[in-house]
Amino acid sequence: MAVAVEKYRSLQTALTAKQVTLVAVSKLKPASDIQALYDEGHRHFGENYVQELVDKQAQLPNDIQWHFIGHLQSNKVKYIAPFVHLIHGIDSLKLLQEVNKQAAKNQRIIQCLLQVHIATEDTKHGMNADELAACLAHLNTHPLPHVQVIGLMGMASFTDDTTQLSKEFTTLQQMYQQHQHFGFNTLSMGMSGDYEQAIQHGSNMVRIGSLLFGHRS
Ligand SMILES: *Cc1c(COP(=O)(O)O)cnc(C)c1O
């Protein structure tokens, strides 16, 4: 399928009106698809796999703001640290400490989101409420000068059950509000199938792939 440029335009207009940032999730899609939205003026793109992101970053314009939205292994942070704009999936203090170390080597401050586990599936990553609170408390007493934690990210269950989705998004929204005094400004939740509901629950950053780029094989 070709990139849904008309869909992109209407979605971007609607999201801009609501002050919601659109991250176009381009994993497993060719660089030419990214270029097509870049040519429309889009700059925020999300990728899940380190090697794929590194390859695309080298081929595409330098002013793209790359979001790493996948599960990040500590030993791979070094490959994306020179250029990544925002890391969404920080699920442990140890990973955040590694990002801090690699950011320092690159003389950068890397923005990060802490990932919270809100779904029913165990396959999804993220901290629970206690781990999140402990992580933030630790950062408060042991600051990491080369990372800036700007908010939270979550993935809801893969379901059409709007009551269940609402419950999960509410959980994340409440944690976001509870910890907002740590300097949060970004709540990343919502994908192609559930972004409207996520926005109703306070999301201000949505990660949308298949709606723009078609289904992934
Ligand atoms: C793949 C992915 C998305 C985009 O999913 P779509 O359903 O294609 O919009 C969003 N967030 C994360 C973390 C993903 O892995």
Side-chain angles (χ1 to χ4, degrees):
M1 184 193 119
V3 180
V5 172
E6 289 302 329
K7 178 76 204 169
Y8 165 75
R9 289 182 187 148
S10 60
L11 187 61
Q12 179 66 293
T13 303
L15 294 176
T16 302
K18 293 178 178 170
Q19 295 179 307
V20 173
T21 300
L22 171 61
V23 178
V25 176
S26 45
K27 63 179 174 220
L28 308 176
K29 296 292 175 180
S32 55
D33 283 9
I34 297 173
Q35 186 69 47
L37 288 194
Y38 180 91
D39 293 343
E40 290 289 311
H42 199 70
R43 293 295 179 268
H44 291 274
F45 292 92
E47 290 283 340
N48 286 59
Y49 308 104
V50 168
Q51 188 59 51
E52 184 179 348
L53 171 54
V54 168
D55 290 347
K56 285 174 171 169
Q57 194 269 341
Q59 294 174 50
L60 285 157
N62 256 326
D63 61 341
I64 289 182
Q65 298 189 298
W66 293 104
H67 295 244
F68 191 81
I69 65 168
H71 181 59
L72 184 58
Q73 290 170 281
S74 289
N75 61 351
K76 296 196 173 165
V77 174
K78 58 178 176 283
Y79 301 115
I80 62 171
F83 64 85
V84 71
H85 172 68
L86 176 62
I87 300 176
H88 290 232
I90 301 291
D91 60 359
S92 71
L93 183 60
K94 199 174 142 273
L95 180 58
L96 199 61
Q97 287 164 337
E98 177 63 15
V99 174
N100 183 62
K101 184 174 145 193
Q102 298 300 333
K105 278 190 191 168
N106 287 279
Q107 294 170 302
R108 298 189 65 209
I109 294 173
I110 297 181
Q111 297 189 314
C112 294
L113 302 176
L114 302 179
Q115 184 172 358
V116 180
H117 187 270
I118 53 172
T120 50
E121 299 106 339
D122 288 339
T123 49
K124 290 184 173 138
H125 297 275
M127 305 183 198
N128 64 31
D130 291 343
E131 289 164 343
L132 174 65
C135 182
L136 289 168
H138 190 277
L139 288 175
N140 216 17
T141 50
H142 306 77
L144 299 174
H146 289 272
V147 297
Q148 190 184 5
V149 175
I150 61 166
L152 303 179
M153 178 269 208
M155 273 177 100
S157 298
F158 186 70
T159 176
D160 293 333
D161 180 348
T162 54
T163 310
Q164 178 65 24
L165 286 175
S166 174
K167 200 175 116 192
E168 294 175 7
F169 288 143
T170 300
T171 301
L172 190 54
Q173 182 179 28
Q174 286 173 350
M175 286 188 204
Y176 181 74
Q177 287 164 348
Q178 182 189 346
H179 299 297
Q180 201 154 20
H181 62 275
F182 285 103
F184 288 0
N185 58 31
T186 303
L187 178 55
S188 167
M189 61 180 192
M191 315 185 2
S192 289
D194 58 18
Y195 73 92
E196 284 166 321
Q197 225 182 325
I199 291 168
Q200 283 167 11
H201 288 88
S203 169
N204 61 12
M205 183 174 280
V206 294
R207 309 174 309 268
I208 295 187
S210 43
L211 211 55
L212 300 171
F213 297 113
H215 286 287
R216 295 173 292 270
S217 43

